[in-house]
Amino acid sequence: MTEAADLVDLRSDTVTKPTPGMRRAMAEAEVGDDVYGEDPSIRALEERVAGMFGHEAALFVPSGTMGNQIGMRLVCEPGQEVLCDADAHVVTYEMGAAAAIFGISTRTVVTSGGRLDADQLIAQVRPKTDWHLTATAAIAVENSHNRGGGLVQPIDELRKLWDWSREAGVAVHLDGARIWNAAVASGTELSTYGRLADTASVCLSKGLGAPVGSVLVASAERIATARLWRKRLGGGMRQAGVLAAAGLYALDHHLPRLAEDHEHAQLLAKRLGVDPSTVETNMVVLDDVAAPVIAEAAKAQGVLVSRVSARRIRLVLHLDVDRRAVDRAADVLSELL
Ligand SMILES: *Cc1c(COP(=O)(O)O)cnc(C)c1O
């Protein structure tokens, strides 16, 4: 049996637990009723994140799924469609929410491993002026790309899509659950990414290590509408400042350290014979492996990995995986491979 302390959990960066410092910040948070707009910690977090991304306003939401779905609803009416890549989180891992809740149709384009090719998407857009077609109201872009193994979207393609979208009157939604990783890896400012989207959802509970929460950013007018949707969906929270305090703490203390996770991913890739150039942020993908067998055998030795498919394993580096844990995981996995 492996002691709990020796467990190396590489399944996801969502598994991080709040650190003692973060717990202190949560305990000491100033709070109020956020449905009344009276929670100072929530307000501080929303203002800060809006500013970081160069937007007017922001809304704290319980999850990235809610951030994405409300974000898309702000720029797409029922009966219209959101266009995105076939591996996007918004169509793969959000339980059909756009259709089930909002009557939004989604159309997907098969891309090269999730990498954005603006022309490819633009070619698929359907105009709002045709009597027969489902109008494309918005395009959703994921950065970094989860099923793409944490790849960072090329800034030139993001710019090209944005410039085109202004002319075409099509909105851009950014699923920025891991935009922090993309920014750290590419050296691109968060505000640059933010200004290339009408709406963006960013997660505090992934690499940043907060226990709960995402933030939706957009114009002040759109965020006012988002607030209604959040309440309607049951996402209006009361003294949620304890959660916002964790988010603020994470921005102060955990954002700068993401580079360490990226270094660990490089290290792990090298040890496992994965081409390091395919590792852009905090994920390592093992392809053409007997995923169920390896996952089970690794688990028996205290290393938890994520099975993406029968032939693919995903390893995610995060706050709770230090250098020693990286070495241990590399020892166990290299043996099994
Ligand atoms: C995790 C994630 C989300 C949001 O997931 P929640 O579990 O709802 O917080 C959204 N997009 C991507 C790419 C993600 O990885």
Side-chain angles (χ1 to χ4, degrees), residues 74-100:
L74 293 174
V75 290
C76 186
E77 293 299 316
Q80 296 184 324
E81 72 181 13
V82 170
L83 187 67
C84 64
D85 85 86
D87 277 319
H89 193 282
V90 296
V91 290
T92 310
Y93 296 125
E94 300 188 5
M95 318 287 304

PDB file of all heavy atoms in Angstrom, residues 74-100:
ATOM      1  N   LEU A  74     -24.495  35.002 -23.741  1.00  0.00           N
ATOM      2  CA  LEU A  74     -24.479  36.464 -23.868  1.00  0.00           C
ATOM      3  C   LEU A  74     -24.312  36.907 -25.315  1.00  0.00           C
ATOM      4  O   LEU A  74     -24.707  38.007 -25.688  1.00  0.00           O
ATOM      5  CB  LEU A  74     -23.323  37.056 -23.040  1.00  0.00           C
ATOM      6  CG  LEU A  74     -23.426  36.924 -21.519  1.00  0.00           C
ATOM      7  CD1 LEU A  74     -22.140  37.438 -20.872  1.00  0.00           C
ATOM      8  CD2 LEU A  74     -24.633  37.693 -20.988  1.00  0.00           C
ATOM      9  N   VAL A  75     -23.690  36.052 -26.118  1.00  0.00           N
ATOM     10  CA  VAL A  75     -23.384  36.446 -27.498  1.00  0.00           C
ATOM     11  C   VAL A  75     -24.093  35.566 -28.526  1.00  0.00           C
ATOM     12  O   VAL A  75     -23.809  35.670 -29.731  1.00  0.00           O
ATOM     13  CB  VAL A  75     -21.852  36.440 -27.749  1.00  0.00           C
ATOM     14  CG1 VAL A  75     -21.192  37.584 -26.993  1.00  0.00           C
ATOM     15  CG2 VAL A  75     -21.219  35.099 -27.374  1.00  0.00           C
ATOM     16  N   CYS A  76     -25.000  34.705 -28.062  1.00  0.00           N
ATOM     17  CA  CYS A  76     -25.694  33.818 -28.993  1.00  0.00           C
ATOM     18  C   CYS A  76     -27.131  33.611 -28.533  1.00  0.00           C
ATOM     19  O   CYS A  76     -27.367  33.263 -27.374  1.00  0.00           O
ATOM     20  CB  CYS A  76     -24.947  32.476 -29.068  1.00  0.00           C
ATOM     21  SG  CYS A  76     -25.599  31.348 -30.306  1.00  0.00           S
ATOM     22  N   GLU A  77     -28.086  33.829 -29.413  1.00  0.00           N
ATOM     23  CA  GLU A  77     -29.502  33.656 -29.076  1.00  0.00           C
ATOM     24  C   GLU A  77     -29.918  32.208 -29.318  1.00  0.00           C
ATOM     25  O   GLU A  77     -29.320  31.514 -30.137  1.00  0.00           O
ATOM     26  CB  GLU A  77     -30.354  34.582 -29.965  1.00  0.00           C
ATOM     27  CG  GLU A  77     -30.156  36.062 -29.691  1.00  0.00           C
ATOM     28  CD  GLU A  77     -30.527  36.449 -28.273  1.00  0.00           C
ATOM     29  OE1 GLU A  77     -31.576  36.003 -27.781  1.00  0.00           O
ATOM     30  OE2 GLU A  77     -29.741  37.190 -27.644  1.00  0.00           O
ATOM     31  N   PRO A  78     -30.970  31.747 -28.620  1.00  0.00           N
ATOM     32  CA  PRO A  78     -31.499  30.409 -28.907  1.00  0.00           C
ATOM     33  C   PRO A  78     -31.826  30.280 -30.404  1.00  0.00           C
ATOM     34  O   PRO A  78     -32.354  31.216 -30.995  1.00  0.00           O
ATOM     35  CB  PRO A  78     -32.793  30.360 -28.071  1.00  0.00           C
ATOM     36  CG  PRO A  78     -32.586  31.341 -26.979  1.00  0.00           C
ATOM     37  CD  PRO A  78     -31.719  32.424 -27.543  1.00  0.00           C
ATOM     38  N   GLY A  79     -31.463  29.154 -30.990  1.00  0.00           N
ATOM     39  CA  GLY A  79     -31.702  28.952 -32.420  1.00  0.00           C
ATOM     40  C   GLY A  79     -30.538  29.381 -33.294  1.00  0.00           C
ATOM     41  O   GLY A  79     -30.506  29.077 -34.488  1.00  0.00           O
ATOM     42  N   GLN A  80     -29.585  30.069 -32.699  1.00  0.00           N
ATOM     43  CA  GLN A  80     -28.350  30.384 -33.427  1.00  0.00           C
ATOM     44  C   GLN A  80     -27.286  29.384 -32.998  1.00  0.00           C
ATOM     45  O   GLN A  80     -27.513  28.573 -32.112  1.00  0.00           O
ATOM     46  CB  GLN A  80     -27.890  31.809 -33.098  1.00  0.00           C
ATOM     47  CG  GLN A  80     -28.868  32.881 -33.562  1.00  0.00           C
ATOM     48  CD  GLN A  80     -28.340  34.283 -33.299  1.00  0.00           C
ATOM     49  OE1 GLN A  80     -27.673  34.530 -32.294  1.00  0.00           O
ATOM     50  NE2 GLN A  80     -28.640  35.203 -34.195  1.00  0.00           N
ATOM     51  N   GLU A  81     -26.128  29.465 -33.664  1.00  0.00           N
ATOM     52  CA  GLU A  81     -25.101  28.480 -33.323  1.00  0.00           C
ATOM     53  C   GLU A  81     -23.784  29.113 -32.879  1.00  0.00           C
ATOM     54  O   GLU A  81     -23.447  30.237 -33.247  1.00  0.00           O
ATOM     55  CB  GLU A  81     -24.829  27.547 -34.504  1.00  0.00           C
ATOM     56  CG  GLU A  81     -24.088  28.207 -35.644  1.00  0.00           C
ATOM     57  CD  GLU A  81     -23.843  27.273 -36.829  1.00  0.00           C
ATOM     58  OE1 GLU A  81     -24.432  26.183 -36.898  1.00  0.00           O
ATOM     59  OE2 GLU A  81     -23.042  27.671 -37.707  1.00  0.00           O
ATOM     60  N   VAL A  82     -23.082  28.311 -32.064  1.00  0.00           N
ATOM     61  CA  VAL A  82     -21.691  28.612 -31.714  1.00  0.00           C
ATOM     62  C   VAL A  82     -20.832  27.623 -32.486  1.00  0.00           C
ATOM     63  O   VAL A  82     -21.108  26.424 -32.493  1.00  0.00           O
ATOM     64  CB  VAL A  82     -21.446  28.436 -30.197  1.00  0.00           C
ATOM     65  CG1 VAL A  82     -19.948  28.517 -29.885  1.00  0.00           C
ATOM     66  CG2 VAL A  82     -22.206  29.484 -29.397  1.00  0.00           C
ATOM     67  N   LEU A  83     -19.824  28.145 -33.136  1.00  0.00           N
ATOM     68  CA  LEU A  83     -18.900  27.312 -33.905  1.00  0.00           C
ATOM     69  C   LEU A  83     -17.622  27.102 -33.072  1.00  0.00           C
ATOM     70  O   LEU A  83     -17.111  28.047 -32.475  1.00  0.00           O
ATOM     71  CB  LEU A  83     -18.562  28.058 -35.201  1.00  0.00           C
ATOM     72  CG  LEU A  83     -17.735  27.357 -36.267  1.00  0.00           C
ATOM     73  CD1 LEU A  83     -18.493  26.188 -36.877  1.00  0.00           C
ATOM     74  CD2 LEU A  83     -17.384  28.370 -37.378  1.00  0.00           C
ATOM     75  N   CYS A  84     -17.168  25.858 -33.031  1.00  0.00           N
ATOM     76  CA  CYS A  84     -15.937  25.606 -32.273  1.00  0.00           C
ATOM     77  C   CYS A  84     -15.258  24.345 -32.796  1.00  0.00           C
ATOM     78  O   CYS A  84     -15.799  23.668 -33.667  1.00  0.00           O
ATOM     79  CB  CYS A  84     -16.240  25.454 -30.781  1.00  0.00           C
ATOM     80  SG  CYS A  84     -17.275  24.045 -30.390  1.00  0.00           S
ATOM     81  N   ASP A  85     -14.091  24.021 -32.244  1.00  0.00           N
ATOM     82  CA  ASP A  85     -13.418  22.817 -32.716  1.00  0.00           C
ATOM     83  C   ASP A  85     -14.037  21.591 -32.050  1.00  0.00           C
ATOM     84  O   ASP A  85     -14.633  21.686 -30.967  1.00  0.00           O
ATOM     85  CB  ASP A  85     -11.907  22.920 -32.487  1.00  0.00           C
ATOM     86  CG  ASP A  85     -11.508  22.489 -31.098  1.00  0.00           C
ATOM     87  OD1 ASP A  85     -11.302  21.290 -30.889  1.00  0.00           O
ATOM     88  OD2 ASP A  85     -11.404  23.368 -30.220  1.00  0.00           O
ATOM     89  N   ALA A  86     -13.892  20.457 -32.701  1.00  0.00           N
ATOM     90  CA  ALA A  86     -14.594  19.238 -32.287  1.00  0.00           C
ATOM     91  C   ALA A  86     -14.131  18.712 -30.933  1.00  0.00           C
ATOM     92  O   ALA A  86     -14.846  17.945 -30.295  1.00  0.00           O
ATOM     93  CB  ALA A  86     -14.418  18.157 -33.356  1.00  0.00           C
ATOM     94  N   ASP A  87     -12.955  19.117 -30.491  1.00  0.00           N
ATOM     95  CA  ASP A  87     -12.440  18.656 -29.201  1.00  0.00           C
ATOM     96  C   ASP A  87     -12.631  19.684 -28.091  1.00  0.00           C
ATOM     97  O   ASP A  87     -12.139  19.504 -26.978  1.00  0.00           O
ATOM     98  CB  ASP A  87     -10.943  18.331 -29.317  1.00  0.00           C
ATOM     99  CG  ASP A  87     -10.725  16.931 -29.863  1.00  0.00           C
ATOM    100  OD1 ASP A  87     -11.475  16.021 -29.452  1.00  0.00           O
ATOM    101  OD2 ASP A  87      -9.823  16.749 -30.697  1.00  0.00           O
ATOM    102  N   ALA A  88     -13.342  20.751 -28.391  1.00  0.00           N
ATOM    103  CA  ALA A  88     -13.484  21.830 -27.400  1.00  0.00           C
ATOM    104  C   ALA A  88     -14.216  21.349 -26.148  1.00  0.00           C
ATOM    105  O   ALA A  88     -15.163  20.563 -26.227  1.00  0.00           O
ATOM    106  CB  ALA A  88     -14.241  23.004 -28.018  1.00  0.00           C
ATOM    107  N   HIS A  89     -13.778  21.850 -25.017  1.00  0.00           N
ATOM    108  CA  HIS A  89     -14.418  21.542 -23.739  1.00  0.00           C
ATOM    109  C   HIS A  89     -15.903  21.905 -23.781  1.00  0.00           C
ATOM    110  O   HIS A  89     -16.744  21.165 -23.289  1.00  0.00           O
ATOM    111  CB  HIS A  89     -13.711  22.317 -22.621  1.00  0.00           C
ATOM    112  CG  HIS A  89     -14.049  21.859 -21.235  1.00  0.00           C
ATOM    113  ND1 HIS A  89     -15.228  22.197 -20.605  1.00  0.00           N
ATOM    114  CD2 HIS A  89     -13.369  21.083 -20.355  1.00  0.00           C
ATOM    115  CE1 HIS A  89     -15.255  21.657 -19.395  1.00  0.00           C
ATOM    116  NE2 HIS A  89     -14.145  20.970 -19.213  1.00  0.00           N
ATOM    117  N   VAL A  90     -16.232  23.025 -24.407  1.00  0.00           N
ATOM    118  CA  VAL A  90     -17.625  23.505 -24.401  1.00  0.00           C
ATOM    119  C   VAL A  90     -18.593  22.534 -25.070  1.00  0.00           C
ATOM    120  O   VAL A  90     -19.796  22.559 -24.776  1.00  0.00           O
ATOM    121  CB  VAL A  90     -17.788  24.918 -25.034  1.00  0.00           C
ATOM    122  CG1 VAL A  90     -17.043  25.959 -24.210  1.00  0.00           C
ATOM    123  CG2 VAL A  90     -17.327  24.949 -26.485  1.00  0.00           C
ATOM    124  N   VAL A  91     -18.101  21.680 -25.963  1.00  0.00           N
ATOM    125  CA  VAL A  91     -18.995  20.680 -26.570  1.00  0.00           C
ATOM    126  C   VAL A  91     -18.703  19.259 -26.099  1.00  0.00           C
ATOM    127  O   VAL A  91     -19.501  18.361 -26.305  1.00  0.00           O
ATOM    128  CB  VAL A  91     -18.956  20.675 -28.120  1.00  0.00           C
ATOM    129  CG1 VAL A  91     -19.601  21.918 -28.687  1.00  0.00           C
ATOM    130  CG2 VAL A  91     -17.556  20.466 -28.653  1.00  0.00           C
ATOM    131  N   THR A  92     -17.540  19.053 -25.485  1.00  0.00           N
ATOM    132  CA  THR A  92     -17.146  17.691 -25.107  1.00  0.00           C
ATOM    133  C   THR A  92     -17.496  17.388 -23.651  1.00  0.00           C
ATOM    134  O   THR A  92     -18.002  16.300 -23.357  1.00  0.00           O
ATOM    135  CB  THR A  92     -15.619  17.508 -25.295  1.00  0.00           C
ATOM    136  OG1 THR A  92     -15.271  17.953 -26.601  1.00  0.00           O
ATOM    137  CG2 THR A  92     -15.223  16.042 -25.146  1.00  0.00           C
ATOM    138  N   TYR A  93     -17.227  18.344 -22.772  1.00  0.00           N
ATOM    139  CA  TYR A  93     -17.290  18.060 -21.335  1.00  0.00           C
ATOM    140  C   TYR A  93     -18.325  18.893 -20.579  1.00  0.00           C
ATOM    141  O   TYR A  93     -18.219  19.025 -19.358  1.00  0.00           O
ATOM    142  CB  TYR A  93     -15.914  18.308 -20.706  1.00  0.00           C
ATOM    143  CG  TYR A  93     -14.807  17.390 -21.195  1.00  0.00           C
ATOM    144  CD1 TYR A  93     -13.632  17.915 -21.736  1.00  0.00           C
ATOM    145  CD2 TYR A  93     -14.919  16.006 -21.083  1.00  0.00           C
ATOM    146  CE1 TYR A  93     -12.593  17.083 -22.154  1.00  0.00           C
ATOM    147  CE2 TYR A  93     -13.895  15.167 -21.504  1.00  0.00           C
ATOM    148  CZ  TYR A  93     -12.732  15.709 -22.040  1.00  0.00           C
ATOM    149  OH  TYR A  93     -11.707  14.892 -22.447  1.00  0.00           O
ATOM    150  N   GLU A  94     -19.269  19.504 -21.286  1.00  0.00           N
ATOM    151  CA  GLU A  94     -20.221  20.354 -20.559  1.00  0.00           C
ATOM    152  C   GLU A  94     -21.646  19.834 -20.688  1.00  0.00           C
ATOM    153  O   GLU A  94     -22.614  20.594 -20.600  1.00  0.00           O
ATOM    154  CB  GLU A  94     -20.015  21.826 -20.961  1.00  0.00           C
ATOM    155  CG  GLU A  94     -18.590  22.256 -20.619  1.00  0.00           C
ATOM    156  CD  GLU A  94     -18.260  23.727 -20.766  1.00  0.00           C
ATOM    157  OE1 GLU A  94     -19.148  24.537 -21.060  1.00  0.00           O
ATOM    158  OE2 GLU A  94     -17.060  24.054 -20.590  1.00  0.00           O
ATOM    159  N   MET A  95     -21.765  18.532 -20.892  1.00  0.00           N
ATOM    160  CA  MET A  95     -23.048  17.834 -20.799  1.00  0.00           C
ATOM    161  C   MET A  95     -24.117  18.373 -21.749  1.00  0.00           C
ATOM    162  O   MET A  95     -25.307  18.321 -21.444  1.00  0.00           O
ATOM    163  CB  MET A  95     -23.598  17.927 -19.360  1.00  0.00           C
ATOM    164  CG  MET A  95     -22.595  17.739 -18.249  1.00  0.00           C
ATOM    165  SD  MET A  95     -22.038  16.062 -18.018  1.00  0.00           S
ATOM    166  CE  MET A  95     -23.538  15.180 -17.763  1.00  0.00           C
ATOM    167  N   GLY A  96     -23.692  18.887 -22.887  1.00  0.00           N
ATOM    168  CA  GLY A  96     -24.682  19.413 -23.838  1.00  0.00           C
ATOM    169  C   GLY A  96     -25.432  20.620 -23.313  1.00  0.00           C
ATOM    170  O   GLY A  96     -26.556  20.900 -23.726  1.00  0.00           O
ATOM    171  N   ALA A  97     -24.792  21.364 -22.394  1.00  0.00           N
ATOM    172  CA  ALA A  97     -25.486  22.469 -21.714  1.00  0.00           C
ATOM    173  C   ALA A  97     -26.025  23.522 -22.679  1.00  0.00           C
ATOM    174  O   ALA A  97     -27.138  24.025 -22.489  1.00  0.00           O
ATOM    175  CB  ALA A  97     -24.543  23.131 -20.703  1.00  0.00           C
ATOM    176  N   ALA A  98     -25.265  23.847 -23.714  1.00  0.00           N
ATOM    177  CA  ALA A  98     -25.706  24.916 -24.627  1.00  0.00           C
ATOM    178  C   ALA A  98     -27.066  24.567 -25.222  1.00  0.00           C
ATOM    179  O   ALA A  98     -27.965  25.413 -25.308  1.00  0.00           O
ATOM    180  CB  ALA A  98     -24.661  25.140 -25.725  1.00  0.00           C
ATOM    181  N   ALA A  99     -27.231  23.298 -25.611  1.00  0.00           N
ATOM    182  CA  ALA A  99     -28.509  22.848 -26.171  1.00  0.00           C
ATOM    183  C   ALA A  99     -29.534  22.626 -25.071  1.00  0.00           C
ATOM    184  O   ALA A  99     -30.676  23.084 -25.161  1.00  0.00           O
ATOM    185  CB  ALA A  99     -28.300  21.555 -26.961  1.00  0.00           C
ATOM    186  N   ALA A 100     -29.122  21.931 -24.010  1.00  0.00           N
ATOM    187  CA  ALA A 100     -30.074  21.526 -22.977  1.00  0.00           C
ATOM    188  C   ALA A 100     -30.652  22.712 -22.223  1.00  0.00           C
ATOM    189  O   ALA A 100     -31.815  22.721 -21.850  1.00  0.00           O
ATOM    190  CB  ALA A 100     -29.390  20.573 -21.990  1.00  0.00           C
TER     191      ALA A 100
END
